[in-house]
Amino acid sequence: FCIFLAELCALFCAQLTTAWGRSKALPLKSLQEKGFLENKKLIIKVEVKVIEVIDEAEEVTRKEKVDVQGFKVLHSQAVLVSRLFEKHPDIAVNFKPKNQQVKTTYMIFLLHLIETLRKPPHSISETELWIAGNELMELTEAGFKLDWLKTKLRKVSFKRMTSYDNVSRVQEFENQVENLKAEVSLERKTTYI
């Protein structure tokens, strides 16, 4: 229900902004004529249709936390975290924090970082790579052994830099530079004639 309302709000707000993010003018008179205002308050009517009723017991199970190698994780993350410890058994040997909430937070950061680095390199933004680098450094400082993840981050960064999009952009810039050189050369010739 919350997601639906958020999407509805996003659609409504999208109607009020331009492609550049600037607000469009929406005259007060127009809102009043269409019946959206009542005593200077914006009224939005929403119809809700129940599609599925989720059993509360099932919902509690999904939100329940499970202990995996001393880390409390959501039931839905338990398999992923177990596999992580199987593949890298010494990953948390030097992990310093003892507080359970702090440990859980660090594990969430680690899972988020792994998820980010699983995406195709061309779909990861420079900002995401920068954040991933910072998260990796923070996780390492907390005591996680993540050399394998550092290698993965380097590979993803390199693949992103050498991806087709970047190569084509470099080619485009080189063409622009050549065109500018030709224009300057032509300008010099006509100036000296």
Side-chain angles (χ1 to χ4, degrees), residues 53-169:
V53 176
I54 298 174
D55 182 17
E56 285 184 34
E58 180 184 331
E59 188 66 23
V60 169
T61 303
R62 280 194 266 149
K63 289 182 179 178
E64 192 175 291
K65 295 207 176 182
V66 178
D67 186 275
V68 179
Q69 300 285 330
F71 290 87
K72 299 277 186 197
V73 295
L74 292 176
H75 190 268
S76 60
Q77 299 169 326
V79 173
L80 180 63
V81 174
S82 294
R83 286 184 186 154
L84 183 63
F85 277 101
E86 284 173 19
K87 202 169 187 180
H88 307 282
D90 63 342
I91 191 171
V93 170
N94 298 326
F95 189 71
K96 298 168 191 162
K98 301 297 179 211
N99 179 295
Q100 195 57 56
Q101 289 178 324
V102 174
K103 289 175 76 170
T104 300
T105 303
Y106 273 106
M107 184 54 70
I108 291 168
F109 272 132
L110 179 57
L111 295 176
H112 177 262
L113 178 59
I114 292 169
E115 183 181 316
T116 298
L117 296 179
R118 282 186 175 164
K119 295 195 300 190
H122 67 276
S123 71
I124 302 174
S125 70
E126 287 294 323
T127 304
E128 285 177 302
L129 282 175
W130 182 79
I131 291 169
N134 285 339
E135 285 179 352
L136 183 62
M137 188 170 36
E138 194 172 321
L139 289 165
T140 304
E141 287 172 2
F144 279 112
K145 286 187 172 184
L146 300 172
D147 292 336
W148 57 276
L149 210 47
K150 283 180 188 175
T151 303
K152 175 77 173 170
L153 179 60
R154 280 192 213 114
K155 286 180 181 177
V156 168
S157 296
F158 181 76
K159 284 181 181 177
R160 188 184 185 292
M161 282 184 356
T162 59
S163 71
Y164 176 76
D165 289 340
N166 287 332
V167 171
S168 64
R169 277 194 219 133

Side-chain angles (χ1 to χ4, degrees), residues 164-182:
Y164 176 76
D165 289 340
N166 287 332
V167 171
S168 64
R169 277 194 219 133
V170 169
Q171 185 75 39
E172 187 178 315
F173 286 131
E174 286 175 350
N175 290 343
Q176 288 175 352
V177 168
E178 289 303 316
N179 290 340
L180 287 172
K181 284 181 182 177

